[in-house]
Amino acid sequence: MDSLSDIEIIEQFQAGNYGEAFRNLVEIHGKTVYNIALFTLNDEVLAEDATQDAFIKIYRNLGKFKGQAKLSTWMYRIVKNVCYDYLKKRRPIALADMEIEMDPASDEGSPEEVAMSSWQHEELRNAIQQLPAKQRIAITLYYFQDKSYEETAAIMGQPLNTVKSYLHRAKATLAKSLDFALGEVYEPATV
Amino acid sequence: MSQPLYDDEFEQLFSRAQVDLPPHLKARLMTIPHLMPQPTFWDLRWIVPVASLTPAIFWLLITKLLPLMGIVTGGFVSWAKDLVLPVLPALSMPVIGICVSIFLASISFGIWIYWNSESRITLVYGRYLTGRL
């Protein structure tokens, strides 16, 4: 199915095709919303609940969306706020209880590669958990959305330079912790 | 010692770490429009609150506004009093109007709370429909 543009989805909604418009939103943005929640909260059950809460808020408020920003920016801002709320009241997470459903595309390869990939996911998520909440959300939004500083800043409601600072510090921290764990896997380029 | 990871490596790492939307979660999300219908013209969520104000509006119209506009309403007011006061002789028309308004407003508030309750979806329908409980 060709994905609809933001404007087409809004038009569908305004025409009263609420269910169809919402279904398209889930098809287009559901995976990103879930990944943002999952990597921010590092808990599958919480991420599912946060995703659902976010989409409920999106559905209830879509009629009020005036198009001042991109639809995705508006949606991910809601997701970010929901994740913040969950972080405030989160319970301790047992990392061992987590089981990741892998992206089919990344499942291709030998069993060793699949095992290595799964290990990398866990390392990445564990490393992200060590970051302060704002850095965690910033880097998740940045890499799971458009890789745009401006969009990330708009979603977070923070000045551009502040977000760049969050990302810089987050990447430095992640590189430090992941380099120890993944350095041999990626063989990164030399300076 | 390994070199630090750079932006490309991060991008590759995040890209490979993405997971698909779980099917049961997708099913939960798809139930939202069915469980939370958008307001329509004949939606009780706005009709009931507005209707709850009707007695007060009528009372205001008959006793205050129409006389102000020079329209003789004495007969109408006495007819309304005759209709109500034999049943509730101790109450005046304004008190009856306010009581009815409060009663209907409380009912409409209850309906509004129920229809807009997110926990209704989260706790009752969402997980139940997808077998998560």
Side-chain angles (χ1 to χ4, degrees), chain A residues 13 18 22-23 26-27 30-31 34-35 38-39 45 48-49 52-53 55-57 59-60 100-101 103-104 120-121 124 128 143-144 147 171 174-175 178-179 183 186 188-189 191, chain B residues 1-26 28-30 32-33 36-40 116 118 121-122 126-127 132:
Chain A
F13 199 84
Y18 306 123
F22 186 76
R23 194 177 67 81
V26 173
E27 293 286 353
K31 182 177 175 179
Y34 177 63
N35 276 280
L38 182 62
F39 278 77
V45 175
E48 289 179 9
D49 287 348
Q52 179 175 291
D53 284 355
F55 269 108
I56 288 171
K57 284 183 165 57
Y59 182 69
R60 288 174 61 184
I100 300 176
E101 186 175 342
D103 189 332
Q120 289 165 3
H121 294 180
L124 178 62
I128 288 175
Y143 281 109
F144 284 148
K147 264 200 80 188
K171 281 196 267 188
L174 283 182
L178 290 173
D179 188 32
Y186 280 98
V191 178
Chain B
M1 182 182 157
S2 307
Q3 296 296 318
L5 292 172
Y6 298 108
D7 207 46
D8 285 348
E9 278 78 15
F10 272 124
E11 189 176 354
Q12 187 188 4
L13 192 58
F14 274 90
S15 172
R16 291 172 63 171
Q18 279 203 56
V19 295
D20 273 342
L21 193 62
H24 64 265
L25 176 58
K26 192 171 178 180
R28 271 166 70 181
L29 297 178
M30 292 304 183
I32 291 173
M36 300 187 69
Q38 290 286 324
T40 58
N116 287 279
E118 291 176 11
I121 288 176
T122 305
R127 290 186 173 185
R132 296 285 288 177

Side-chain angles (χ1 to χ4, degrees), chain B residues 50-64 93-94 96-98 100-102:
Chain B
V50 171
S52 71
L53 296 173
T54 304
I57 292 171
F58 267 109
W59 172 78
L60 197 68
L61 186 73
I62 292 169
T63 61
K64 303 289 179 189
M93 282 292 283
I96 293 171
I98 290 169
V100 171
S101 291
I102 291 173

Side-chain angles (χ1 to χ4, degrees), chain A residues 88-121:
Chain A
K88 282 180 198 166
K89 58 185 179 187
R90 74 180 306 169
R91 57 183 168 75
I93 306 299
L95 293 176
D97 292 343
M98 289 187 291
E99 183 181 336
I100 300 176
E101 186 175 342
M102 307 271 286
D103 189 332
S106 65
D107 280 353
E108 296 169 0
S110 67
E112 291 79 10
E113 287 171 338
V114 172
M116 183 61 74
S117 180
S118 175
W119 176 72
Q120 289 165 3
H121 294 180

Side-chain angles (χ1 to χ4, degrees), chain B residues 72-132:
Chain B
V72 178
T73 57
F76 194 28
V77 171
S78 63
W79 171 79
K81 283 182 178 175
D82 290 345
L83 192 68
V84 177
L85 290 183
V87 182
L88 299 167
L91 299 177
S92 64
M93 282 292 283
V95 173
I96 293 171
I98 290 169
C99 288
V100 171
S101 291
I102 291 173
F103 174 70
L104 292 177
S106 63
I107 291 176
S108 65
F109 184 66
I111 292 172
W112 185 86
I113 288 288
Y114 175 73
W115 281 24
N116 287 279
S117 166
E118 291 176 11
S119 60
R120 179 171 64 101
I121 288 176
T122 305
L123 299 180
V124 180
Y125 289 102
R127 290 186 173 185
Y128 173 74
L129 289 175
T130 53
R132 296 285 288 177

